[in-house]
Amino acid sequence: MATDKTFFLETFGCQMNAHDSEKVVGTLEHEGYRRVETEDAADLILYNTCSIRDKAEQKVFNRLNDYKKLYKQGKRFAVLGCVAQQEGEKIFERAPYVSIVAGSASYRKLPEMLVQLEAGQKRITGLDDRQTDETFETEFTARTNPYRGYITIIEGCDKFCAYCVVPYTRGKERSRTSTSVLNEARRMADSGYTEIQLLGQNVNSYLDPEGKQSFAELLAAVGQVPGIRRVRFMTSHPRHFTREIVEAIEAFPTLCDHVHLPVQSGSSDVLRRMNREYTREQYLERISWIQAAKRPISLTTDIIVGFPGETLADFEQTSDLLTKVGFDAVFAFKFSPRPNTPAITMDDSIPDGEKSSRLQALLDQQRETQRAIYNRQIGSILEVMVEGHNPQKGQIMGRSSQNKTVNFTNSQLILPAPGSYVNVLVTQGFPNSLVGEAVTLQ
Ligand code: SAH
Ligand code: SF4
Ligand code: F3S
């Protein structure tokens, strides 16, 4: 390869993948590669992939198909992430022009893989059999947002929900020490970050290898790092959701007023078959702790519609749970049968049209719930972290502590910079965003 080595990277999937990509970029840059914006301009084309649903998996094969002609021009392809770990060497059969296939547990070996690639090796793999204790820590993270920084505190998953690929694609659960998490948080605060998001497939299953801190204690400690104004955490699993977490949020205003707590279904029967290990009642109990908090905490969730055997009565329980809780946002998808998972052998006989109409009914219901929730915020003053500007609309965009999108105008002449915090009076509500006016610049 030429001395000016370039790479293109596209990321699919969740926040963990997005953050892994920041670390991959940092690692590649340290190895002398320069990032470019298009496949055509790159020597090495990498896709960091997602396999959570079939549609997500197909995206990478579509991309590879679109760009395979570039192989003849000497460009090389790498498939990273969850599809890589799941499909392994089968990817070389399906797409012979791919040179590297690596799952997330082997990114520490990327520098070696690049040496092999540059030596002309053809089928380079970094695949893991779930046994590793390694986490992907690197000093070379190329963070893309200068105000909001991500820290993965726990990788992998040991829950084995019947429908889910993650335990197979990301390996067993392993946490970073609280000392290393806090050191990173302090370094980030020193370099100007004011918002930290703690990440994990089940962030609250965090188990400090040093035995020093529980998840709630770690949250509180990160919330007290000087300079940090906002701490978020994603995703919480209901099974390990404790009152201590709610108490930490109450005690430390830097911990954001938002919990993402995926329920998947409102029917205990479906939950049991999903292997979620909690009942509808236990989930609602956790919700009651959150809703009893001293300040309002926004709640969001994930739903799977049409899991094998979901009856109309089961589905109605989900719809009823949505009404009872009043979520601020719901991410609902139709069940997608996935390789290696127990649910792939279950009787998936609900017709697709029926799944679609259940999904649509939930989304319609949720839209009305959100319309009411967002309208209730009219008249309140929210602290908004500025993310950008929309010159066409003359609006400034940002997010509230509850993670709601706020578009606002500012009668003062100064345009608040991205990363700054502005108090906004809410004047209008839509099902997915608020509109308002800046009241003070801080
Ligand atoms: N660890 C988190 C969720 C991670 S996966 C938790 O347990 O709550 C993100 C979401 O993808 C899940 O909450 C689920 O709603 C959805 N999902 C996972 N597997 C799926 C499948 N096979 N079909 C449809 N949706 C799925
Ligand atoms: Fe998947 Fe369940 Fe693990 Fe969440 S807890 S990542 S849904 S196996
Ligand atoms: Fe997708 Fe893997 Fe994340 S399957 S959702 S990228 S953990």
Side-chain angles (χ1 to χ4, degrees):
M1 262 181 210
T3 42
D4 176 31
K5 299 176 289 189
T6 54
F7 73 96
F8 169 85
L9 168 67
E10 183 175 2
T11 307
F12 304 92
C14 63
Q15 207 48 256
M16 308 268 295
N17 248 19
H19 183 40
D20 280 351
S21 281
E22 293 183 333
K23 299 194 226 176
V24 167
V25 169
T27 305
L28 288 168
E29 286 174 345
H30 184 256
E31 295 302 310
Y33 281 75
R34 183 169 56 82
R35 188 173 193 173
V36 292
E37 292 307 312
T38 61
E39 273 104 337
D40 288 298
D43 299 316
L44 175 61
I45 298 161
L46 304 105
Y47 296 114
N48 191 4
T49 62
C50 173
S51 171
I52 202 80
R53 285 169 288 269
D54 186 56
K55 266 197 190 130
E57 175 175 346
Q58 291 323 315
K59 280 187 192 156
V60 63
F61 290 107
N62 294 339
R63 280 293 188 284
L64 286 169
N65 211 27
D66 288 348
Y67 289 101
K68 64 182 177 198
K69 54 182 186 292
L70 299 179
Y71 182 81
K72 290 205 189 74
Q73 302 172 16
K75 297 177 193 297
R76 294 296 171 257
F77 292 87
V79 178
L80 309 180
C82 291
V83 178
Q85 184 62 42
Q86 174 187 296
E87 295 300 303
E89 300 190 355
K90 278 189 268 174
I91 292 180
F92 296 130
E93 309 300 325
R94 192 162 163 185
Y97 41 89
V98 170
S99 301
I100 297 179
V101 172
S104 64
S106 61
Y107 295 160
R108 290 173 73 88
K109 299 193 198 106
L110 273 174
E112 286 165 46
M113 293 186 219
L114 293 173
V115 171
Q116 293 172 331
L117 180 74
E118 289 171 25
Q121 216 163 302
K122 289 234 153 46
R123 293 181 164 199
I124 304 155
T125 53
L127 298 167
D128 185 76
D129 57 0
R130 276 192 56 82
Q131 294 313 310
T132 185
D133 275 325
E134 271 188 18
T135 50
F136 183 31
E137 281 186 64
T138 164
E139 59 210 278
F140 310 119
T141 306
R143 297 187 183 277
T144 43
N145 182 323
Y147 321 105
R148 172 181 302 134
Y150 300 96
I151 305 181
T152 301
I153 65 165
I154 172 168
E155 293 184 24
C157 179
D158 282 343
K159 307 284 188 291
F160 291 94
C161 299
Y163 50 81
C164 182
V165 292
V166 173
Y168 313 94
T169 64
R170 294 228 157 217
K172 66 175 185 175
E173 249 168 43
R174 52 211 189 272
S175 300
R176 283 175 64 173
T177 64
S178 54
T179 306
S180 91
V181 171
L182 280 166
N183 284 341
E184 186 162 354
R186 289 193 198 102
R187 269 199 311 273
M188 285 166 60
D190 289 345
S191 53
Y193 290 89
T194 58
E195 180 173 318
I196 286 184
Q197 291 199 11
L198 302 179
L199 299 179
Q201 275 303 338
N202 297 295
V203 74
N204 59 328
S205 301
Y206 176 78
L207 210 61
D208 186 357
E210 296 173 330
K212 282 192 194 160
Q213 290 188 319
S214 68
F215 172 65
E217 287 164 343
L218 180 63
L219 264 185
V222 176
Q224 290 172 84
V225 170
I228 295 304
R229 295 181 64 159
R230 285 186 172 181
V231 181
R232 300 187 186 279
F233 53 100
M234 280 254 282
T235 295
S236 296
H237 192 293
R239 201 190 308 174
H240 294 149
F241 196 88
T242 59
R243 270 179 195 265
E244 227 195 326
I245 300 172
V246 182
E247 287 159 9
I249 298 176
E250 285 181 325
F252 299 100
T254 47
L255 304 187
C256 286
D257 318 336
H258 173 216
V259 174
H260 182 59
L261 198 64
V263 64
Q264 315 300 354
S265 167
S267 150
S268 291
D269 196 35
V270 173
L271 289 171
R272 186 178 43 73
R273 283 185 293 108
M274 285 178 164
N275 193 31
R276 291 292 287 180
E277 293 196 15
Y278 55 83
T279 60
R280 170 189 175 93
E281 289 70 32
Q282 286 166 330
Y283 181 85
L284 287 172
E285 185 187 26
R286 280 144 183 78
I287 294 292
S288 72
W289 301 339
I290 299 168
Q291 291 182 332
K294 291 187 195 115
R295 57 189 157 111
I297 297 177
S298 104
L299 276 162
T300 56
T301 200
D302 296 345
I303 301 282
I304 295 178
V305 174
F307 185 75
E310 181 188 78
T311 62
L312 209 49
D314 291 322
F315 171 71
E316 278 161 8
Q317 294 224 18
T318 301
S319 152
D320 178 70
L321 184 132
L322 256 51
T323 307
K324 279 207 164 70
V325 177
F327 289 103
D328 296 74
V330 170
F331 304 90
F333 292 93
K334 286 191 273 185
F335 166 70
S336 170
R338 306 304 295 131
N340 307 319
T341 65
I344 200 162
T345 58
M346 295 179 184
D347 179 16
D348 183 23
S349 56
I350 306 168
D352 191 59
E354 174 61 23
K355 286 184 190 166
S356 299
S357 62
R358 289 182 191 179
L359 177 63
Q360 197 52 51
L362 272 195
L363 296 177
D364 290 346
Q365 167 186 348
Q366 183 56 27
R367 199 176 162 77
E368 292 319 304
T369 303
Q370 282 177 222
R371 195 187 301 281
I373 291 177
Y374 276 70
N375 271 330
R376 276 204 294 276
Q377 301 229 289
I378 295 175
S380 57
I381 292 177
L382 304 176
E383 186 190 67
V384 174
M385 192 226 227
V386 175
E387 294 189 351
H389 305 137
N390 183 339
Q392 274 120 26
K393 287 191 174 172
Q395 276 179 331
I396 303 150
M397 297 169 296
R399 268 173 203 278
S400 69
S401 168
Q402 290 200 339
N403 210 29
K404 292 192 165 74
T405 298
V406 184
N407 298 310
F408 64 99
T409 47
N410 180 23
S411 55
Q412 301 178 39
L413 287 173
I414 338 149
L415 206 54
S420 60
Y421 290 80
V422 179
N423 284 336
V424 174
L425 171 69
V426 178
T427 55
Q428 243 187 315
F430 292 101
N432 278 305
S433 65
L434 298 167
V435 173
E437 229 163 82
V439 288
T440 55
L441 284 180
Q442 294 176 345

